[in-house]
Amino acid sequence: MYSRLPVWTAILAVLLAVLPTAFSRPTRRAEDPTTDPFYQPPAGFESQSPGTILRERQVNASFFGFIPDPVDAYQLLYRTTAVNGSAIATATTIFKPKSPKTDRFVSFHTAYDSSSPTCNPSYQYQLGVEQTGLISSVERLIIQVYLEKGYIVSSSDYEGPDAAFAAGRIEGMGVLDSMRAVSNYHEKLGLSSDSPAIVGTGYSGGAIATGWAAALHASYAPELNVKGWAQGGTPSNLTGTLLLLDDSPFSGFIPPAIDGLSKPSAYGAEVTPLIERIITEKGREALEFASTHCAVADLGNFFSQSLFSTEFQTLGPALLDDPTIQSVLNDNILGTKSDETPTVPVFVYHATYDEIIPYDDADRMVTSWCGNGASVAFTTYKSGGHATTEVIALPAVVEFVEAAFNGTVEEGCSEDTELDSLLDPLALGVSLEPLLVALLDALDVAGEKDANVQRDVRAWETTVPLQGV
Ligand SMILES: *[C@@H]1O[C@H](CO)[C@@H](O)[C@H](O)[C@H]1NC(C)=O
Ligand SMILES: *[C@@H]1O[C@H](CO)[C@@H](O)[C@H](O)[C@H]1NC(C)=O
Ligand SMILES: *[C@@H]1O[C@H](CO)[C@@H](O)[C@H](O)[C@H]1NC(C)=O
Ligand SMILES: *[C@@H]1O[C@H](CO)[C@@H](O)[C@H](O)[C@H]1NC(C)=O
């Protein structure tokens, strides 16, 4: 039913035209993370150090689940850490192009934005999997840009085993431990050392992971040879994000965020008793839906609704005054602690008119990081909305990634403004033109300041059945 959505059908049509790949049927069907034994850590894994590889396998990668991708793809299950410090395990997918650069890799944090493990990128990337995590499916095109430039790319299930969406600390540690795991896997990948250079990047939900990995790098994984971070549309203050999303066309991101924050690996011990006390029948249904569906379905199911309505929880608008809620939300603001400041260059970009993630909060994060001695290049996009800016900024992000690997990013903080909302399809060279055209097509459908995205979400509301799993 989602394939009738205009954005995705347009991208699919373009993809089919640009990818000269034959169709084939996979012989081994990928299994959902909730039942696939690969995701179960072996007994005693808790005593292994963070980043230890617990399982490995090769998988058949795909575009959109059904177009085979000839790239070599490996998956690692690795040990990482829950918010409360306990050992947990999650997976990363490593894409290796034909003749890769052997001293570096890109860590790409896709915006899967869901609290259901079925939406884990490691599952959605595999051939033969129904594409319910459509954002990660489209962002697969951005991974392809890096692959065609010769980078090995790792894309982790940074929300961890419970899919703790919005819990920045677990995501940051999940990213850093995936970097350790890939570094530990250097021989198999043909990397020349166990300390490859790394640049991390992600947009929107993927920028929560990127921003927190950048913030925790110095304290949690200082040995990693990270050269830079690029993050756009960053939800740097969950309270601000929540207030902007509430009762908007994008309020469907809220139930998976609440569900994600209340997972055992996140803040379950604190938040679950509160939820049990205040949740209504309708609120419970919303959380249950979120725990079993991916982002697009969530957007349709919770279109223009308010978390602060007593239909969902009995505290109503006073929810934000609750001390438990306040402490969890405050634990998720980037830039509040000076010892959580990035120590390598960061590129931050954000649209002034971002209708999903507040610009001012990202601006505050940059000010705070710069005040604490970070090197941040901050670009403000004056003409795009949230979705359009991800695509418009891509050439600048790719250039930053390259400069960070080269070690030529200027130290210190700088700000600039991009007025243009046009993307030159040749910006990354002739060989990458088809990919940029495919992304541009998505942009075209998104419309001026994402106007059409909002309209489409409204259409989804009427086409996505609300009942059933
Ligand atoms: C990948 O696909 C090939 C051919 O379709 C199949 O023989 C092989 O078993 C698959 N490998 C995995 C790991 O699924
Ligand atoms: C986070 O956002 C809330 C709501 O906009 C605001 O009241 C608070 O001051 C912000 N916190 C920081 C540290 O910026
Ligand atoms: C700590 O995290 C672990 C791993 O997710 C979880 O199983 C456990 O319930 C948590 N304990 C507390 C007290 O939060
Ligand atoms: C990075 O270095 C390579 C090789 O020296 C060079 O070709 C490229 O232009 C540099 N790119 C950036 C963005 O600095």
Side-chain angles (χ1 to χ4, degrees):
M1 87 197 111
Y2 305 127
S3 59
R4 276 195 268 114
L5 305 177
V7 176
W8 316 114
T9 38
I11 294 170
L12 260 184
V14 175
L15 249 186
L16 288 176
V18 299
L19 293 170
T21 327
F23 288 75
S24 68
R25 288 195 149 268
T27 50
R28 186 186 64 85
R29 247 194 95 74
E31 227 185 295
D32 188 284
T34 52
T35 52
D36 186 342
F38 178 79
Y39 293 88
Q40 292 305 317
F45 83 100
E46 297 90 344
S47 61
Q48 305 286 329
S49 57
T52 300
I53 298 168
L54 306 171
R55 297 188 194 284
E56 60 173 296
R57 68 178 173 190
Q58 193 155 7
V59 293
N60 285 326
S62 74
F63 294 98
F64 295 91
F66 73 102
I67 305 171
D69 180 356
V71 73
D72 285 339
Y74 305 90
Q75 293 187 332
L76 306 177
L77 184 76
Y78 60 94
R79 187 250 197 239
T80 184
T81 306
V83 171
N84 70 18
S86 308
I88 50 174
T90 193
T92 192
T93 304
I94 307 166
F95 302 93
K96 184 186 165 196
K98 288 287 167 257
S99 310
K101 301 177 199 289
T102 57
D103 60 347
R104 63 191 65 187
F105 70 91
V106 169
S107 183
F108 182 84
H109 318 132
T110 197
Y112 53 120
D113 295 358
S114 165
S115 60
S116 162
T118 299
C119 320
N120 285 356
S122 64
Y123 178 57
Q124 296 282 323
Y125 289 149
Q126 293 183 62
L127 193 57
V129 173
E130 187 199 349
Q131 300 294 281
T132 42
L134 284 169
I135 304 174
S136 58
S137 308
V138 173
E139 287 192 330
R140 199 40 200 84
L141 297 178
I142 298 179
I143 290 180
Q144 192 63 19
V145 168
Y146 292 109
L147 294 175
E148 298 208 5
K149 291 190 79 73
Y151 296 109
I152 290 172
V153 179
S154 167
S155 175
S156 59
D157 298 352
Y158 54 75
E159 294 177 3
D162 312 334
F165 173 48
R169 290 171 190 278
I170 203 173
E171 298 187 3
M173 293 187 282
V175 164
L176 293 163
D177 287 325
S178 74
M179 293 173 165
R180 286 171 159 153
V182 175
S183 301
N184 289 335
Y185 204 56
H186 66 280
E187 276 176 25
K188 191 75 172 269
L189 293 172
L191 288 168
S192 51
S193 84
D194 62 359
S195 185
I198 311 165
V199 176
T201 179
Y203 190 80
S204 192
I208 303 181
T210 311
W212 280 98
L216 300 177
H217 173 208
S219 56
Y220 184 77
E223 83 285 4
L224 286 171
N225 187 15
V226 183
K227 299 291 192 188
W229 307 97
Q231 56 182 87
T234 311
S236 47
N237 176 337
L238 285 191
T239 310
T241 306
L242 180 66
L243 292 173
L244 183 61
L245 289 175
D246 197 59
D247 201 8
S248 84
F250 302 98
S251 42
F253 286 122
I254 295 176
I258 305 287
D259 188 43
L261 291 168
S262 48
K263 298 283 171 126
S265 56
Y267 301 90
E270 297 99 298
V271 177
T272 306
L274 170 71
I275 291 183
E276 289 303 323
R277 216 166 57 236
I278 64 171
I279 198 156
T280 63
E281 181 66 24
K282 205 169 165 193
R284 197 179 296 281
E285 277 167 21
L287 292 188
E288 268 166 23
F289 187 94
S291 71
T292 46
H293 289 79
C294 299
V296 172
D298 288 335
L299 288 172
N301 190 48
F302 205 74
F303 178 85
S304 282
Q305 301 201 47
S306 177
L307 174 70
F308 302 109
S309 152
T310 48
E311 277 185 70
F312 295 104
Q313 45 82 21
T314 55
L315 295 180
L319 181 68
L320 284 185
D321 299 333
D322 180 274
T324 302
I325 295 288
Q326 280 188 359
S327 96
V328 168
L329 292 177
N330 288 342
D331 199 36
N332 283 279
I333 301 176
L334 284 163
T336 51
K337 295 184 182 153
S338 62
D339 60 352
E340 293 178 350
T341 301
T343 48
V344 295
V346 191
F347 175 43
V348 174
Y349 55 104
H350 211 111
T352 319
Y353 300 108
D354 191 317
E355 74 283 24
I356 299 183
I357 309 297
Y359 174 87
D360 289 346
D361 290 338
D363 192 30
R364 267 194 287 275
M365 169 194 73
V366 169
T367 304
S368 160
W369 279 354
C370 287
N372 289 322
S375 287
V376 185
F378 182 28
T379 300
T380 297
Y381 284 80
K382 283 282 186 198
S383 52
H386 185 76
T388 49
T389 297
E390 176 170 22
V391 180
I392 295 167
L394 184 61
V397 174
V398 172
E399 188 179 316
F400 171 86
V401 168
E402 200 169 282
F405 277 125
N406 284 359
T408 54
V409 177
E410 273 182 42
E411 298 246 324
C413 285
S414 61
E415 293 200 6
D416 78 305
T417 300
E418 186 58 68
L419 298 172
D420 217 351
S421 64
L422 298 175
L423 174 68
D424 171 9
L426 289 171
L428 295 172
V430 176
S431 63
L432 289 172
E433 188 197 10
L435 277 167
L436 286 198
V437 168
L439 284 162
L440 263 178
D441 194 74
L443 185 60
D444 206 33
V445 184
E448 183 85 7
K449 295 205 183 88
D450 294 351
N452 301 339
V453 175
Q454 301 190 30
R455 195 195 57 211
D456 289 348
V457 169
R458 218 159 292 141
W460 302 342
E461 185 196 23
T462 55
T463 54
V464 177
L466 301 188
Q467 74 286 3
V469 172

